[in-house]
Amino acid sequence: MMTLYVHRQSWLHRQPAGLKLLVLMATSVALYALTSLWTAGAALIAVILAYRSLGPAGWSYLWVVKPLLPMFILIFVVQTWSQSVSAAILMLLRMLTLIWLANLVTLTTRMDAMMDAVMPILSPFRRVGVAPHRIAFTVALFVRFVPVLMAVLNSLLEAWKSRGGGRAVWRLAIPMLINAIRMSDHVAQALAARGGVRSPETPVSMVQPQ
Amino acid sequence: MTLTIELNQVTLKRDDQTVLSDLNLTLSERRIGLIGNNGSGKSSLVRLFNGLLQPSQGRLQVRGHNPAGGPEAMADQVGFIFQNPDHQLIFPTVIEELMFGLRNQGLSKADARERAEHCLREHRRLDWAERPVHSLSEGQKQWVCIMAVLVMNPAVLILDEPFSALDLPTRQFLTDWLLGLPQQLIMISHDLDVLAAFDRVLWLEQGQVRGDGDPETVIADYRTACNEAFSL
Amino acid sequence: MKDQALVQMALYAALVAALGLIPPVPFVTGIPITAQTLGVMLAGVMLGPWRGFLSMLLFVGVVALGAPLLSGGRGGLGVFASPTTGFIIGFPVAALVAGYVARLLQRQSILIAAGVGAFVGGILVLYVFGIVGFKLVTGSEWLRSVQVMAVYVPGDSVKVVLTALVAQAVYKGLPGAVATRQA
C-alpha cells in the first residue's frame, strides 16, 4: 500500500506516535513565537541532522520540498520587498524547519500507529452515527480503492491517447465518475449481502470492487 | 510502403524488470494471434506497436512508421481496442464516441458527424446514433469501441483480450465480423478457440517467443504446457 | 449513518486521490492547477453537503496519516506545514459549501447549480482558507497574501466550468447519483 513511511529501526521510529505529534505541535507554536534568526537556524540544523537517522541516504528525503522551491523564492522576494531581508530569512528558516520536521514524523510513523493515536479525537463522531470502527472500515475501503480507480484512469488515458487524445483530458472525469458510482453501488450491495459493517472486525478483504 | 511490423532486437524494461528481451520479429500475416500466461509480456508487446510504450533497446517499425512519436502520432495507422468497454467509452452518445477520433484527425464537426453516420449506416445501425452509450449491453458497447476505432480507418487493428466480458454468441459474432475486415489484425486472447482461424499464433513466455507458427500446433503446445506446469 | 453512505464517501475520496494522477497544469510559481479540486467540487455536488464534507475530511485525514495522495504524489504532515496548507484543509469545507449551494439552486439547470456551487465553494471559500493558511504559515501581511493567491484564481476558475460540465454529463446518464437534486 502506498505510504510515505520509511521502514527502519531508528530511535525516532521507536517513539510513540502520540508523543511525536505533541512534540511537533509544541515546536510549531514555539517557532512561531520566536524572533531570533540564530535560534531558528539552530532548529533547522537540528532537524536536518535528524534526517540522518533515516539511514545513509537519509538526507535525500529532504528533497520533499523540491516542488515548493519556486514558491519559496517568490515568497522570499515578496517578504524582502515588503518587510526586510531578515524577516524573509526568518520566515524561510521557520517554514523549512516545520515542513521537514512534520515530514520526519510522517516518515518515521506507521499509518496505523498514527491512526490509533488519533482515534480518541474521533469519538465525537459517534454522535452522528459513525463509531470509530466504522471510521476505520471506511479508511480501509478508501485506501483499497485508490489503486483500483487509478487503474481505471490509466486505462481511460490509454484509450484516449490511442485515438488521438488531445488536451481536453478533463473529459475523462466523466467516465471516472460513472465507474466510481457503479463500483460504489456494487460494493454496497456486496457489503449488505454479508451483513454490513457491524462488528469491529469486519474485514475489508471480503468486499470486492467488481 | 511496407506492410509489416518489424522488431529488431527489441528489449523492454519497466520498473527495473525486463518485460521483453531481444525480440526479432517480422509480422506480415493478416491475422496474428498472441497467447501466453499473465505476465508473459503480451500486453506490453502490443503497446509497442502504437507507441503507448517505447522500447528500452532495439528498433521497431510499424508499416514504415516509427512509433517513437507516441500514440497520438500513430492513431492514424494503428487502432487499439482494450479489454473493458467501460474503461474506453468517454462520450455520452454513440455518435459522439465515433466522432471523437475523427475530430482528432482534423475533421470538422460536420464532416466528422457525416463520416460517423455513414459508418453506422453501413452497418445498419444508424438508429444507434443518439443512444446513450451506457444503455447498451456489454457486447454492444464493445462493438461501439471497435467502430470508434474503425471509423478512423487504421491499417492495423490491435485487440487486447477484447472479449473477456462477453458471452459465447457475442464472441462468435464479433470474431466473424473482425475476420471479415480488411485491416491487419493482431489479437491477444485467452479464448484459444477464437484464434483457430488465424494465420499465425505467437506464444510468449517471460518476454520471449516460446512458440510461433500455425495456430493448431502452437495452441496445442501451449495447452500441453499449461496442463503440465501449473501450480498456484 | 448507513453502510451505503460510508461506501460512497470512501469511493469519492478514492476518486479525488485518483484524479491527482492527471498531470497538473504547471504554473510558474508553484500552486499547480490540478484535476483534484475538480473532484472535491464534484464530491460536494454529487454527494450533498454533509457527505461531501465527510468524504473530503476522510481524504485529507488519510493524507495526514501519510498517504501520498495529493497531486504530485505529496502527502504526510509536511504538507500541512507548507504555504498551500490552507487549500488542503479547506477541501472539506469547499465541498460542503459547493454541495449546499448546488442544493439551494436545484430548481435551476444543473449547469448553473453545479457551476455556482463550484464557484462559491471552490473559489470563494477555498481561497479564503488558502489565503489564511498562507498568511499564517509564511507570516506575510494580509495584503501580500491576498495578492499572491489572487494570481491563481483566473486559471483555477476553469474548474468551475468543468465541474458544471462533468456534473451535467453524469446527471444525464445517472440522474439518481446527484444527491443535490432530489426533491
Side-chain angles (χ1 to χ4, degrees):
Chain A
M1 207 269 313
M2 23 97 253
T3 165
L4 294 165
Y5 172 69
V6 175
H7 183 70
R8 275 192 88 83
Q9 303 292 349
S10 81
W11 170 77
L12 274 173
H13 280 76
R14 284 192 292 271
Q15 303 312 305
L19 178 62
K20 283 186 272 194
L21 288 173
L22 282 172
V23 168
L24 178 60
M25 282 194 281
T27 314
S28 314
V29 174
L31 272 179
Y32 273 93
L34 197 341
T35 47
S36 152
L37 278 184
W38 296 112
T39 324
L44 183 63
I45 293 175
V47 170
I48 293 178
L49 287 175
Y51 268 73
R52 184 63 178 71
S53 70
L54 288 170
W59 284 320
S60 64
Y61 287 100
L62 291 171
W63 280 114
V64 70
V65 295
K66 184 166 150 199
L68 292 172
L69 283 178
M71 164 147 288
F72 285 166
I73 296 174
L74 169 75
I75 301 173
F76 186 84
V77 166
V78 168
Q79 272 288 55
T80 311
W81 181 63
S82 66
Q83 290 185 286
S84 66
V85 176
S86 55
I89 296 178
L90 179 64
M91 170 213 71
L92 208 55
L93 289 175
R94 215 162 47 196
M95 226 168 30
L96 276 174
T97 306
L98 275 176
I99 293 175
W100 275 329
L101 184 62
N103 191 48
L104 192 58
V105 172
T106 293
L107 294 174
T108 58
T109 314
R110 306 184 72 103
M111 278 180 65
D112 49 344
M114 281 267 232
M115 205 159 156
D116 288 338
V118 161
M119 267 308 195
I121 308 180
L122 297 176
S123 35
F125 277 102
R126 259 190 206 281
R127 257 175 266 145
V128 288
V130 202
H133 76 263
R134 289 166 75 79
I135 296 180
F137 178 82
T138 313
V139 170
L141 202 58
F142 163 32
V143 165
R144 169 87 180 291
F145 282 109
V146 173
V148 176
L149 286 179
M150 284 186 175
V152 172
L153 181 57
N154 274 319
S155 296
L156 285 167
L157 270 171
E158 279 193 326
W160 174 268
K161 289 189 220 174
S162 298
R163 272 188 282 157
R167 286 173 328 171
V169 190
W170 63 267
R171 286 197 167 274
L172 294 180
I174 299 169
M176 278 292 284
L177 198 39
I178 293 176
N179 271 284
I181 292 169
R182 290 241 181 82
M183 231 180 257
S184 171
D185 289 341
H186 283 142
V187 170
Q189 281 172 11
L191 196 51
R194 283 168 179 78
V197 188
R198 280 175 311 175
S199 79
E201 276 90 47
T202 307
V204 171
S205 57
M206 72 159 140
V207 179
Q208 295 304 317
Q210 188 41 272
Chain B
M1 184 187 67
T2 48
L3 297 173
T4 60
I5 298 177
E6 279 174 20
L7 284 86
N8 222 309
Q9 297 179 303
V10 166
T11 295
L12 177 66
K13 289 206 174 77
R14 291 178 82 177
D15 301 327
D16 295 328
Q17 288 232 18
T18 304
V19 173
L20 297 170
S21 31
D22 204 34
L23 291 182
N24 293 288
L25 290 168
T26 303
L27 305 173
S28 46
E29 291 77 4
R30 249 183 93 205
R31 311 262 176 272
I32 302 177
L34 200 46
I35 60 177
N37 295 336
N38 290 338
S40 56
K42 325 185 290 293
S43 287
S44 299
L45 175 60
V46 295
R47 278 167 174 73
L48 287 174
F49 299 159
N50 81 330
L52 276 172
L53 290 176
Q54 300 292 333
S56 317
Q57 276 161 40
R59 278 176 26 250
L60 169 58
Q61 286 262 315
V62 175
R63 300 183 146 247
H65 292 81
N66 185 341
E72 289 87 350
M74 292 301 291
D76 289 344
Q77 291 294 316
V78 180
F80 207 115
I81 284 134
F82 302 83
Q83 188 173 0
N84 189 340
D86 286 329
H87 301 169
Q88 285 173 88
L89 296 168
I90 298 162
F91 290 81
T93 61
V94 171
I95 191 96
E96 284 173 289
E97 193 70 34
L98 262 57
M99 283 167 67
F100 175 57
L102 295 171
R103 297 281 279 144
N104 291 333
Q105 284 181 319
L107 272 69
S108 71
K109 211 159 169 186
D111 287 340
R113 194 172 183 112
E114 201 186 305
R115 270 273 286 277
E117 282 176 353
H118 175 76
C119 220
L120 286 173
R121 200 177 298 119
E122 269 195 345
H123 289 83
R124 295 190 306 273
R125 286 194 169 93
L126 189 55
D127 57 317
W128 281 27
E130 300 300 335
R131 280 183 70 178
V133 130
H134 291 278
S135 70
L136 301 173
S137 74
E138 290 307 301
Q140 291 173 325
K141 282 189 213 170
Q142 194 61 307
W143 186 90
V144 172
C145 289
I146 298 172
M147 275 322 304
V149 165
L150 281 182
V151 82
M152 296 169 73
N153 241 329
V156 182
L157 210 54
I158 300 178
L159 303 111
D160 188 351
E161 291 185 57
F163 303 146
S164 306
L166 307 177
D167 59 26
L168 189 53
T170 315
R171 274 185 224 213
Q172 276 302 124
F173 175 82
L174 289 175
T175 307
D176 290 341
W177 176 45
L178 287 170
L179 287 174
L181 293 173
Q183 277 84 1
Q184 178 184 29
L185 286 185
I186 299 178
M187 183 151 98
I188 298 178
S189 182
H190 282 304
D191 180 352
L192 304 173
D193 298 327
V194 154
L195 298 178
F198 277 50
D199 302 316
R200 177 180 175 186
V201 168
L202 279 166
W203 170 15
L204 236 64
E205 189 166 284
Q206 295 187 319
Q208 297 191 298
V209 177
R210 186 165 163 183
D212 184 358
D214 69 284
E216 215 179 297
T217 321
V218 179
I219 291 176
D221 289 343
Y222 177 60
R223 275 196 218 273
T224 317
C226 284
N227 288 335
E228 283 168 7
F230 190 73
S231 68
L232 259 176
Chain C
M1 177 155 292
K2 292 204 324 238
D3 287 356
Q4 191 205 20
L6 295 182
V7 174
Q8 280 180 329
M9 288 168 6
L11 257 311
Y12 271 85
L15 179 68
V16 171
L19 286 175
L21 260 193
I22 300 183
V25 176
F27 224 79
V28 171
T29 47
I31 301 179
I33 298 185
T34 73
Q36 210 159 48
T37 45
L38 179 59
V40 174
M41 297 299 95
L42 287 170
V45 171
M46 305 292 294
L47 288 179
W50 182 227
R51 291 185 189 182
F53 172 78
L54 290 176
S55 175
M56 293 302 98
L57 197 61
L58 174 65
F59 175 77
V60 173
V62 171
V63 166
L65 288 180
L69 300 176
L70 287 177
S71 206
R74 301 179 55 213
L77 293 171
V79 172
F80 296 89
S82 83
T84 53
T85 181
F87 287 94
I88 315 303
I89 295 177
F91 275 3
V93 181
L96 175 85
V97 172
Y100 185 72
V101 171
R103 195 167 61 185
L104 272 182
L105 295 175
Q106 59 180 290
R107 300 220 179 281
Q108 309 304 318
S109 76
I110 179 140
L111 269 185
I112 293 183
V116 176
F119 178 72
V120 178
I123 303 288
L124 296 183
V125 170
L126 192 59
Y127 272 78
V128 166
F129 274 81
I131 290 168
V132 171
F134 183 88
K135 189 251 180 308
L136 290 176
V137 164
T138 63
S140 308
E141 297 149 3
W142 283 108
L143 182 60
R144 296 285 162 246
S145 304
V146 172
Q147 284 172 338
V148 171
M149 291 295 116
V151 170
Y152 301 92
V153 172
D156 216 14
S157 299
V158 177
K159 75 187 174 208
V160 169
V161 176
L162 297 185
T163 306
L165 291 173
V166 171
Q168 181 189 51
V170 176
Y171 183 60
K172 264 202 275 192
L174 296 169
V178 187
T180 50
R181 285 179 101 70
Q182 322 292 31

